[in-house]
Amino acid sequence: MADDLELRFERTVQAESRIEPRDWMPDGYRKTLIRQIAQHAHSEIIGMQPEGNWISRAPSLRRKAILLAKVQDEAGHGLYLYSATETLGADREDLTTKLIEGRQKYSSIFNYPTLTFADVGVIGWLVDGAAICNQVPLCRTSYGPYARAMIRICKEESFHQRQGYELLMTMMRGTQQQKDMVQDSVNRWWWPALMMFGPPDAESTNTEQSMAWRIKRDTNDELRQKFVNMSVPQAEALGVTFPDPELKWNEERGQYDFGSPDWDEFWQVVKGGGVCNEQRIAHRRKAHEDGAWVREAAAAHAAKHDARKEGAA
Amino acid sequence: MSTSWPLWEVFVRGKRGLNHVHVGSLHAPDAEMALRNARDVYTRRNEGVSIWVVPATEITASSPDEKDPFFAPSGDKVYRHPTFYAIPEDVPHL
């Protein structure tokens, strides 16, 4: 019987069909998915902070409205994804606890500080651009609720990337100081953006099984290469350069060659040693604790209301 | 006291003339808040003209393990499909 179920699961995945919440699935598949989707959800929620930092200081009402909408989208993306984990039996409260106790991770990119308003543009262009490269293939991931959440997210990310690029184009038409600010921001974010695809394939431990389960569709290095190929012409059109002396077109490969990110820095930030790790978690914890009375009051109100309805009946 | 809010499943009618379609779930203390939250989470870009929220615990679903027998009654009734009937090609509008 168990073999039967496993066979059916494998056939479904291999046929590019979708696994749905009540289907039988291997324990490892369920656990890996919960970890992967939760980590993605946490990234969306923590990712509100670096840009949220600039909402009150946006240079115009237009930019402020756009930034507010974008940060609200990130919250929405986090919620779609938490909702997907719950179809696998995860508990929302438990996931939040694991995040603020540091037992589950989020993308390291959000542990870098946003020093100038140009960072808002560069995050939209490069960080969301890298996220799109990672996420588009996940629209075809084998787990139905995850794939559907990714489709919604990808549609919205396109706005995020374009508003960032447009913001940078506007700054590049401005004063020399503004142009320098954009270049400085690109210099700081380029390498961390490349790290978003994860360690090189040779060191990536989960890739093989995840590819077989179709919960990962391309390897880290393939996606990184794709992102570099897409970004170079965009940088040229913008009038900025990437801080990589090894970056050049390789006629033979038909792709760009590029240098290797500082993987020691990557692991240091993953392990909690980034500039903002502590601040991000402390802020999330405070928001959660400060919101406790609202959650309690709303639950008490609903309970009182239910009791009254029952009394009247 | 446990303060975790119950889970609600959200269904959205994309536009007039279409069915409500399941889009996801959310937590809310009561139905009214569930509707408001659903509006903010699932229809930020005019994705819907009407929303249903249903307590997740109130949904009864067929289980995939029963799938074959449960859906079997329709499996052997090919005569329910229009292509079951051979009609001469020169008969129009049919």
Side-chain angles (χ1 to χ4, degrees), chain A residues 5 8 22-24 69 72-74 76-77 79-80 83 86 91-93 152 156 159-160 292 294-296 298-302, chain B residues 1-5 7 9 22-27 29-30 33 40-45 47 60-65 67-68:
Chain A
L5 291 171
R8 192 194 289 180
R22 291 162 60 95
D23 288 340
W24 183 90
Q72 191 190 6
D73 273 354
E74 312 291 2
H77 295 177
L79 294 178
Y80 305 155
S83 157
E86 285 177 290
D91 176 75
R92 176 82 60 96
E93 189 70 28
R152 300 180 68 89
E156 299 182 356
F159 142 61
H160 296 181
V294 179
R295 294 192 295 278
E296 283 166 22
H301 176 77
Chain B
M1 147 180 174
S2 166
T3 53
S4 81
W5 294 341
L7 189 67
E9 297 296 335
H22 182 244
V23 293
S25 65
L26 50 76
H27 288 269
D30 56 33
M33 285 305 296
D40 292 345
V41 176
Y42 291 105
T43 62
R44 285 194 302 285
R45 289 178 176 75
E47 289 98 334
T60 308
S62 66
S63 144
D65 291 343
K67 181 173 176 177
D68 292 338

Side-chain angles (χ1 to χ4, degrees), chain A residues 186-199:
Chain A
V186 170
N187 291 348
R188 282 182 290 109
W189 289 97
W190 174 246
W191 292 112
L194 289 190
M195 294 179 199
M196 285 175 69
F197 298 96

Side-chain angles (χ1 to χ4, degrees), chain A residues 64-272:
Chain A
K64 182 183 274 196
I66 292 170
L67 191 50
L68 264 174
K70 178 173 191 282
V71 172
Q72 191 190 6
D73 273 354
E74 312 291 2
H77 295 177
L79 294 178
Y80 305 155
L81 291 161
Y82 282 131
S83 157
T85 63
E86 285 177 290
T87 66
L88 290 159
D91 176 75
R92 176 82 60 96
E93 189 70 28
D94 179 52
L95 295 181
T96 303
T97 306
K98 280 181 173 146
L99 170 64
I100 60 187
E101 288 180 354
R103 288 187 287 136
Q104 278 180 341
K105 297 196 183 307
Y106 55 89
S107 178
S108 285
I109 193 82
F110 303 117
N111 291 318
Y112 290 84
T114 41
L115 303 179
T116 68
F117 193 70
D119 289 7
V120 171
V122 172
I123 287 177
W125 173 37
L126 295 179
V127 175
D128 291 317
I132 291 172
C133 271
N134 262 328
Q135 291 171 354
V136 165
L138 292 176
C139 295
R140 293 180 293 117
T141 196
S142 64
Y143 187 58
Y146 188 25
R148 294 191 285 274
M150 292 316 309
I151 290 170
R152 300 180 68 89
I153 289 173
C154 285
K155 275 188 199 161
E156 299 182 356
E157 289 287 357
S158 167
F159 142 61
H160 296 181
Q161 194 185 21
R162 292 173 65 108
Q163 67 81 33
Y165 195 79
E166 187 229 43
L167 189 165
L168 297 175
M169 286 198 310
T170 309
M171 286 185 81
M172 291 303 283
R173 287 194 296 266
T175 63
Q176 189 57 44
Q177 205 183 356
Q178 287 173 310
K179 292 178 194 172
D180 293 345
M181 202 182 270
V182 173
Q183 183 62 59
D184 167 69
S185 176
V186 170
N187 291 348
R188 282 182 290 109
W189 289 97
W190 174 246
W191 292 112
L194 289 190
M195 294 179 199
M196 285 175 69
F197 298 96
D201 292 348
E203 296 166 33
S204 180
T205 46
N206 299 323
T207 297
E208 204 178 324
Q209 177 65 78
S210 293
M211 298 271 276
W213 278 335
R214 311 274 209 276
I215 53 184
K216 186 169 177 160
R217 309 292 320 220
D218 304 272
T219 73
N220 297 351
D221 287 335
E222 286 166 0
L223 290 168
R224 195 167 7 249
Q225 177 75 59
K226 197 172 160 198
F227 174 69
V228 171
N229 293 345
M230 280 167 44
S231 300
V232 173
Q234 293 168 354
E236 282 166 4
L238 195 57
V240 296
T241 57
F242 292 132
D244 179 358
E246 293 175 53
L247 182 68
K248 63 167 190 292
W249 179 252
N250 183 325
E251 192 64 51
E252 214 171 290
R253 292 200 309 128
Q255 318 216 53
Y256 285 93
D257 288 339
F258 57 100
S260 176
D262 179 352
W263 293 112
D264 290 338
E265 175 185 314
F266 172 78
W267 289 114
Q268 192 187 330
V269 178
V270 168
K271 289 176 181 143

Side-chain angles (χ1 to χ4, degrees), chain B:
Chain B
M1 147 180 174
S2 166
T3 53
S4 81
W5 294 341
L7 189 67
W8 302 75
E9 297 296 335
V10 181
F11 301 79
V12 170
R13 184 197 296 288
K15 57 180 182 182
R16 290 176 179 279
L18 296 182
N19 289 323
H20 282 77
V21 172
H22 182 244
V23 293
S25 65
L26 50 76
H27 288 269
D30 56 33
E32 192 187 336
M33 285 305 296
L35 269 182
R36 282 172 183 273
N37 292 350
R39 181 199 59 191
D40 292 345
V41 176
Y42 291 105
T43 62
R44 285 194 302 285
R45 289 178 176 75
N46 302 318
E47 289 98 334
V49 294
S50 161
I51 303 174
W52 290 346
V53 290
V54 182
T57 51
E58 296 297 317
I59 291 183
T60 308
S62 66
S63 144
D65 291 343
E66 298 167 2
K67 181 173 176 177
D68 292 338
F70 191 76
F71 292 101
S74 65
D76 61 354
K77 296 181 178 60
V78 284
Y79 48 83
R80 289 188 176 181
H81 298 277
T83 47
F84 179 74
Y85 304 93
I87 306 286
E89 279 187 21
D90 52 0
V91 180
H93 309 302
L94 204 72

